[in-house]
Each structure stands twice: as structure tokens, then as C-alpha cells.
Amino acid sequence: MDECGVRVAEQQRQSFAVTTTYRAAAPLSPLLQSERPNRAVIRPYSCAPDPAVLMLARLVLMTDKFDPHPMPLHLFNTLTGHVDLLVPSDGQTLRMYACGPTVYDYGHIGNFRTFLQVDVLRRFLLLSGMKIKHVMNITDVDDKIIRNAAAAGVSIGEYSAQYVDAFFEDIDALRIERPDQIARATEHIPRMVKLVEQLAEVGSAYRTEDGSWYFRLSSFPEYGKLSKKDLLGMEDGARVDVDEYEKDSARDFALWKAAKPGEMAWDTAIGRGRPGWHIECSAMSMEFLGDSFDLHAGGEDLMFPHHENEIAQSESATHKPLAHHWMHVRFLLVDGRKMSKSEGNFYTLRDLLVKGYKASAIRLALISVPYRHQLNFTFEGLVEATNAIERLRNFHQRLTEGKFAPGQDAQIQAAAVKAQDGYMAALANDLNTAEARAPIFDLLRASNTAIDQGRFFLDDRDAILRVLASFDAVFDVIADHDAEPTRRAVAWAEQAGRLADVASTLLARQSLSDEAVDALVAERTLAKKQRNFARADQIRNELAEKGILIEDSKDGVRWKRK
């Protein structure tokens, strides 16, 4: 641990400080704030810690312990076909590259399943004490973007900008932590040109009559080693110039495409044109992570040809393995069928939000099935995720607002240790998110029973809160951040002329501001004091119709949105 990390951990021990200035895209969970007296002190760190150190410092806040040793993660490696130990090759920082979005449209739930599973990986590595350097690309020039921009009569920069903004809004809504480095393809053209030149020097790239450059597949005998496809029947020298294709169309692929009339193009040492899709990830991953790095992740649809082509390009130029470990996230189905617009089962995140589903429920539903298993996405599954989150939030509220006597119960203490161990072990075993949830809900049931029986004490509460904090460090669904994504989705629908797609119940809920709810709750409280119970009941019913639930307790009146 570096000096900064030591200072951060010590500061957490001494003052239980919470930072509000670091990592604004993913604020510190309220679960790690204010559970004990003096733990809500706001004090910025005196240095900018590494994300892994910050995560450990967050756990210090809850545990008063510090263990700098990372928990080993065994992760399936597509390249070897085995579950391998994931370790940083330099013994210090795990360098990982994850393929990001192609910004030609709004992201759909299949895209976000991949991004969420990579987020689970990232969060678990940080939780377990691993230092990471995480890079993600944004493809803002490719065949689809060029085609769509031309149809809209705008530049590719103007066309893609709206979808870049939408992508970041969507990942923030889903609580996906942002990578350490985000690389846009159009900002790294010189690095791509340099890589093409390197490939030409070793005989792996050649120029065609129209000025395009292609990779010579025959120069890389290992082609196909990632996807395990038998490509022996390829015709030597045949070419394919589209970005995406099937195995039967495997040919020499485009590294650099000569300029065509009306297309965006760059003047470079290898001619006027624009990059092929595959060259960008090779160039940018090696620029930020080195010629050879630890982990490359993406959806299984990218395995061939994109990742296979990345390997061929990079390893031909460097004669080193591009990535030691490859992680691929399985496709999802929707109601048992492939998701497609023609099937009528194609959903973006925004489609689901305006239907009234919460971002937290969508997050949980998309990560509930482990990444190597195919997820069958259903609306029943979304309802189940919503109910599971409600149970967790109600339980957390019961712990934080309950009054417990000093002391501890041996059975609860043992149950907390068992739950934490089971949770971490499940994630360490190939990120088994399904198994990781089970011990948490077992602990919830045991704790609720103990509370009901009067054998639950202050130390038990603190032990359980530590487990919940660890759970939410990865799953991030207990702390309620749902209001803002929903508000943004409704505003987007209104701006896009799609208010008709917004659920009527959601429109009714959104029509009532927090201030308006507070005013009605205050009026109801006054009506009860004046024994005007008819008016009090009327207000409760009106609020219930708009999705506002009122809870009367000995500590006062609380309300929340469904």
C-alpha cells in the first residue's frame, strides 16, 4: 500500500470520515455513512487514493479492521477454456480492458448486461483489495454510425454525441462505475495509423488498389485460437470490408478504409481514410495498458471476429500475448426468444424506465444470473428483483432506525460471519452472483427472526450492517438512487415526443414533487391532531394512488415512493 493509502486508512480509523469529493460518478453508499455516532463527519481526503485503497478505506469505516491482501478470484478464461486464477502480471495492478459501446443508437439491455457484469468484476476486485487500471473504449466511427449520420444529414461527431451522452446517463442510472480511462476512437487515429505501419513492416498488412489497408490472415497461423473456430478453409487473399461478419465470411479484414465520397476521413501517412473497427481496440488498449495486459472483457458476440482480429493485429506487431485472460458475457434472451425489433421484444434501458420499472431492479435483474450463463429476461423477473430490493431496503431501515440494547447474540454473530464468508466465496468462484445473494437473504431471515424474538443487540446490528455494506459495494441496490433516473427518463420521453409510452401511473407519480408530498404529509399530520380523520385518510389514499406510501411510527411519519 502506498503512503496515500496508509493516510486514508488511518484517517478513516480516527474520524470515520466520508469523502464527497472523490469519484463523483459513484458516491459513497449511505450504507457506509452514519451508522454510528460521529460517522457522518464530512472531511475530504488529503490525497487522491487509488480506487482499491479507497474501497478498503470504506470497509475500514465499517469494520475497524484493515486487510491489504486481495482475495483471489478464479475466473473463466475463454482463451484457455478453464477457470484460471486472475492475477496482475506485475504483481501490483491488474490492467484490464473492456470493450465499450458503439454509439449509433441507445444502448439495449443486452449491452447493459455486459457492462453490468464487468462492473461486478471491477467492484469485486476493488472490494477484495486488488488495485486495477480499467480502460474502456467508445467506438464513435464505424459503418453503422457513418450510414446513420449520412441518413440524418449530419456529421458523425454531431450524430454520435447524443448517444455518447445517453450512454453515460444510462450507466449512471444503473450505478455502473466509470473506468479509469475512457478512450474515444476518433481521438486516437495517429496511434491506429502507427499500428498499421508496424503491421506493414512485418508483412502482416498490405495496401489495395483503392488505398485501403488489410490484415493478411495467412501471416498469423494462430488465428481462431480464442473462438476455437476451424478456419482452415479460408481462401488465401480473399477480403471482407464490413466490420461485422460470420465465420464463413472470414477473410483478410480491413485495417484502414480508403475515403469514400461523403464519408468522414483523415489525412494520414497511410493515406486518406478512416479506421476499420477492429484496429481501434488493439491500438488503444496497448496505448494505455502496454503491449500485453492482464484481462480483456466483452460480450460473447465480440469473440468473433472482433476479439479474434484484435489478437491477430496486436500479436503480429508485438509478438507478445495481447491479454492473458479473456472474459466473455453470455447473450440474454427475452421471454425465451432472441431479442430483436422484429420480435417486438427489443428494450433499451429507457424503454423499461418509462414503463415504471426502477433502475435498481433492472440492475439486479441483469446481474442476478452469473455472466457465463444465459439470462432469460422477463418482466416477472423484474418484479422479483423489485421485491428483493424492497426486502433489503426495509431490513436495512429496520436496523438503522431500530433501538437495540448493548450486547450481542452468539448465533447472530456466527450467522454474520457465515454470510460474509459465503458471499465472498461465491463471488471469488467465477463471479457467481446467484450464489452470492443466497447467504445475504439467509442472514436477513435469521436477523428478522432474532429481532422479533428480542434476542438481537447493538453489536449484532453493527455486524449485519458490515455484511450489507460489503454486499452493496458490489450489488449497489440497497441505497435508494432510483428517483433521478426515473425523472430523467420521463423528461427524455417528453422531449422525444414519446410521452404516450410512459406508464400512466408513473406520470401520476412524477407529477407530484417531493415538496408537494411533504406539504400533504404535513397537512395529514395536522388533520390527525385536529381529529379530522376523514381528511387524513383522504390524503393517505390520494398519495397511495400516486405511488406514495406513508408509514406512521413512534419516531414520526415517513414516506417513500413505490
Side-chain angles (χ1 to χ4, degrees), residues 220-239:
F220 191 70
E222 293 182 274
Y223 191 78
K225 65 180 179 180
L226 179 70
S227 59
K228 313 298 189 293
K229 293 182 182 293
D230 180 7
L231 302 168
L232 295 178
M234 290 187 304
E235 181 183 350
D236 189 25
R239 297 191 290 268

Side-chain angles (χ1 to χ4, degrees), residues 198-504:
Q198 287 179 274
L199 291 170
E201 289 174 5
V202 298
S204 293
Y206 61 90
R207 191 174 187 269
T208 59
E209 301 80 7
D210 69 348
S212 297
W213 287 82
Y214 282 80
F215 182 86
R216 181 177 283 111
L217 280 190
S218 61
S219 70
F220 191 70
E222 293 182 274
Y223 191 78
K225 65 180 179 180
L226 179 70
S227 59
K228 313 298 189 293
K229 293 182 182 293
D230 180 7
L231 302 168
L232 295 178
M234 290 187 304
E235 181 183 350
D236 189 25
R239 297 191 290 268
V240 57
D241 65 354
V242 294
D243 290 336
E244 299 178 74
Y245 49 86
E246 299 299 325
K247 169 201 164 186
D248 292 341
S249 298
R251 306 286 189 275
D252 292 357
F253 57 88
L255 300 168
W256 183 261
K257 300 185 179 185
K260 295 179 181 178
E263 282 192 358
M264 176 71 177
W266 286 262
D267 290 308
T268 74
I270 59 174
R272 180 172 173 78
R274 50 101 174 178
W277 175 36
H278 313 294
I279 196 73
E280 67 171 88
C281 286
S282 285
M284 294 189 296
S285 64
M286 293 192 295
E287 178 178 353
F288 291 108
L289 298 174
D291 291 348
S292 187
F293 50 91
D294 301 310
L295 173 71
H296 197 312
E300 69 171 340
D301 56 318
L302 299 180
M303 190 187 309
F304 183 89
H306 184 53
H307 289 165
E308 204 72 75
N309 290 355
E310 280 188 63
I311 289 174
Q313 295 163 157
S314 300
E315 297 185 7
S316 293
T318 68
H319 305 292
K320 300 175 184 177
L322 174 60
H324 301 292
H325 215 118
W326 289 80
M327 171 188 177
H328 289 98
V329 181
R330 287 290 307 277
F331 289 127
L332 61 73
L333 302 175
V334 176
D335 289 322
R337 297 172 295 159
K338 182 178 178 179
M339 184 174 66
S340 69
K341 291 180 180 178
S342 61
E343 289 278 356
N345 64 351
F346 182 93
Y347 300 109
T348 68
L349 172 65
R350 294 160 188 242
D351 292 333
L352 298 180
L353 290 174
V354 298
K355 287 179 180 291
Y357 296 101
K358 294 182 178 181
S360 60
I362 299 168
R363 176 183 174 90
L364 184 60
L366 291 178
I367 65 176
S368 60
V369 172
Y371 76 96
R372 268 210 297 148
H373 297 263
Q374 194 166 55
L375 166 68
N376 184 28
F377 180 87
T378 66
F379 287 102
E380 291 80 6
L382 266 185
V383 172
E384 290 174 4
T386 301
N387 293 338
I389 293 170
E390 192 71 11
R391 289 179 62 197
L392 287 166
R393 290 176 178 174
N394 288 339
F395 176 57
H396 180 259
Q397 184 178 41
R398 189 178 192 188
L399 294 180
T400 55
E401 297 182 3
K403 306 299 181 184
F404 304 103
Q408 61 179 236
D409 180 87
Q411 289 183 342
I412 293 300
Q413 292 290 317
V417 171
K418 180 180 178 182
Q420 178 67 13
D421 289 349
Y423 161 72
M424 293 294 286
L427 289 179
N429 180 20
D430 204 19
L431 298 177
N432 193 325
T433 49
E435 286 191 3
R437 288 177 54 184
I440 302 302
F441 281 91
D442 288 343
L443 181 62
L444 182 153
R445 285 187 289 270
S447 299
N448 273 329
T449 298
I451 294 172
D452 293 341
Q453 294 176 351
R455 54 179 183 84
F456 192 92
F457 302 94
L458 197 59
D459 288 350
D460 301 327
R461 181 202 66 177
D462 291 345
I464 305 304
L465 286 174
R466 287 193 288 270
V467 177
L468 292 182
S470 178
F471 173 82
D472 224 37
V474 175
F475 281 76
D476 203 356
V477 294
I478 301 178
D480 190 347
H481 304 284
D482 289 319
E484 183 60 16
T486 299
R487 185 196 67 77
R488 283 181 175 271
V490 173
W492 165 80
E494 183 175 13
Q495 184 179 18
R498 292 185 52 182
L499 271 181
D501 295 334
V502 181
S504 57

